[in-house]
Amino acid sequence: MSLEKIIKTHRNLSKAPQKLWLNKISLVSVLTGWAHLGTFDRGKWVRSYNKSCRIDPKLTFNDSQILHYLSRNNLQDASNLLDSMSERSHPKSLVVHLTSSITKYSKRGFIDEAKALFQLMPQRNVVSYNAMLSGFLQNGRLSEARRLFEEMPERNVVSWTAMICGLADAGRVCEARKLFEEMPERNVVSWNSMVVGLIRNGELNEARKVFNSLPIKNVISWNAMIAGYVECCMMGEARVLFEEMEERNVVTWTSMISGYCRAGEVEEGYCLFRRMPEKNVVSWTAMIGGFAWNGFHKESLLLFIEMKGICDVRPNRETFISLAYACAGMGFPHLVKQLHAQVIVNGLEHDDFDGRLSRSLIQIYSLFGIIDFANWIFNKNGNNCNVQSCNSMINGYIRFGRLEEAQNLFDTVPVRDEISWTSMIDGYLSVGQVSNAYYLFHNMPDRDAVAWTAMISGLVQNELFVEATYLFMEMRAHGVPPLNATFSVLFGAAGATANIDLGRQIHCVIMKTESESDLILENCLISMYAKCGVIDNAYNVFSNMVSRDLVSWNSMVMGFSHHGLANETLKVFESMLESGTHPNSVTFLGILSACSHAGLVSRGWELFNAMFDVYKIEPGPEHYVSMINLLGRAGKIKEAEEFVLRLPFEPDHRIWGALLGACGFCEGNAAIAEHAAKRLLELDPLNAPAHVVLCNIYAASGRHVEEHKLRKDMGVKGVRKVPGCSWLMRNGGIQMFLSGDKIPAQVAEILL
């Protein structure tokens, strides 16, 4: 190295940021350069950097210089330096020092340099061999470790245990077990290592056998076995061992608490937490996280406040990650900012080495629409923010209607996954921009079943049912297996268009491809068949269900109700009550509608009154509308009007519209109809049916001036009654007919 280059390198080192730790080899290169030029004062200056902690202080000057020679494969200079060291040191001291260097090199990833140093050592002992063996194992060099183990002139219990751990960590548990059996001498560490190795490889029963054979068990033995049961959610077995332990430490208690929370038994975990004689931040975090991940968000935050009152316990990163989830569950945006402030106060903002805390904050800020804060964290921690953070922000922009900003972020992020693409596709579909969604979908590099389903679902939501069907066919042609959600969406499309052929085809596909019944799909089938008018098929699906939930019962109730089958509706309702299923507002909407169609006034009143009196369900506007229809169909218009006037709330346009519609069921109610129509127009001035009904009332009563004025107002306002429509499926498409249309020439052919 020339003097000019050495001086230039020295200046660059001088300008290095204070927080930057200098590479050992870089520093030693400069030092060696000065030394070769005879400028040892400069060498002393560079060594002063070592003392000021600008280089890892655990490596001595000789360690660093040897590492420099070995990294350049300069074995002769390294050997010469070792010789000079041996002249100045006692042989045993040199062995200890070099063995320590091998350990340091190995831990820092310089395994080849450690191996070269090991081979150059003038003397070695069993500790030296163990250091090299451990180095190979730590760096994944199992074959070299095994070869060295076989060549060792002397092995002790550390050698055997290290080799057993290495084999178990590599998944070669049978070899580890064989080696364990061959051990001439075992201590409690060896036994514990074998137990842990078996547990990590899923051999829990074998681990228990080894545990039971332990001549002496320490707290680590018990904790390892308990942790094994906890990982497998076998809390009964873990609790038995826990109760048998004579001496427990904080790890034991925390492991049990974490296990109970993971198994959903939060109350049991909390009882143990309160019994703990001593708690540390890990224990508190385990319980805070247990509450948060099981939906007890308020309890999680309250426990954190309690923890803050204890002076010697400070929250860590994991604490705040759990709290972020709790804040999201609470639904209060201001909590997110308070949490972020706590992160800063506790000095953890810059102690986020894996980025998990930053990603959690980005996620909850995005969830609540505080995108600017999320963006600030994202830009500040760009190195730690992965594609998950990008997706959180994209979804945040989309959720709050900032689609253009979502697209800009999507276009600029370096990495995009399936979730990124699907989120953008779903975002465009949600606002009706189908062409943009199609563009992204067709340019997506790897379209999985979720992306296909999102596209199909979006087309259905935009009432593009035929396009959704064709896309499903294309999905199958590409060999992408549909999800249950795909079938659910298509059943919805078939039901919405009364396309029984499509519904039956999808049903056949499910029967051929799905081996087990799926509750959600069966519920969709009931709804689809009912909407398509094939109520018998709907009831067959319902009758053959292995298990039913509230949705199943409601689907059947609504199906019978829409077909005017009041008796069948009430029978299903009675069976539902006998099964122990508690009805909800949807159930009563169906049975009240059935009573309305059948004219069962007394039964309808009985059920309506039972909603709150018996089942504690508050009737909604739709239930009052059903009762008005019930009374109207029975010719009780005056009673219907009185019912409206007695309502516990101010009637809205739905209520007055229902009363107006009820007046059409029978004649002689012009005054009530006129009153209802006027009130409806006050609330909804552009309501076309109300205008038409009022015009007809004026015409029938000879009030032509008022009729003419109202019709003129309709023209000025642009009010037009939406014509009724019907449709038929023809050649894979929908043939629609509007009221007042001229009949196409091919209609006769269609009807044949």
Side-chain angles (χ1 to χ4, degrees), residues 345-392:
V345 166
N346 284 275
L348 296 172
E349 191 179 24
H350 303 293
D351 187 24
D352 188 24
F353 61 90
D354 59 358
R356 289 175 60 233
L357 182 55
S358 299
R359 292 196 292 272
S360 298
L361 289 170
I362 290 170
Q363 185 174 3
I364 55 174
Y365 272 134
S366 301
L367 182 67
F368 289 118
I370 313 173
I371 311 295
D372 294 336
F373 278 56
N375 196 38
W376 181 79
I377 298 172
F378 181 81
N379 292 329
K380 184 180 179 183
N381 301 279
N383 294 332
N384 281 335
C385 294
N386 60 3
V387 68
Q388 179 187 343
S389 303
C390 299
N391 292 340
S392 295

Side-chain angles (χ1 to χ4, degrees), residues 85-100 121-125 127-128:
M85 290 171 64
S86 63
E87 292 175 0
R88 298 193 302 268
S89 305
H90 190 277
K92 288 185 178 180
S93 299
L94 183 62
V95 171
V96 172
H97 178 80
L98 295 180
T99 300
S100 175
M121 284 179 69
Q123 287 184 317
R124 308 182 193 111
N125 59 17
V127 180
S128 311

Side-chain angles (χ1 to χ4, degrees), residues 24 59 67 70 98-118 127-141 148:
K24 281 77 68 173
L59 287 181
L67 182 62
L70 294 175
L98 295 180
T99 300
S100 175
S101 298
I102 290 171
T103 302
K104 292 174 186 176
Y105 294 170
S106 300
K107 286 182 178 179
R108 287 155 182 78
F110 298 109
I111 187 62
D112 290 324
E113 289 81 354
K115 180 181 177 181
L117 177 59
F118 177 77
V127 180
S128 311
Y129 276 94
N130 288 343
M132 194 66 248
L133 181 67
S134 297
F136 281 137
L137 294 170
Q138 289 167 8
N139 287 272
R141 310 267 278 264
L148 178 65

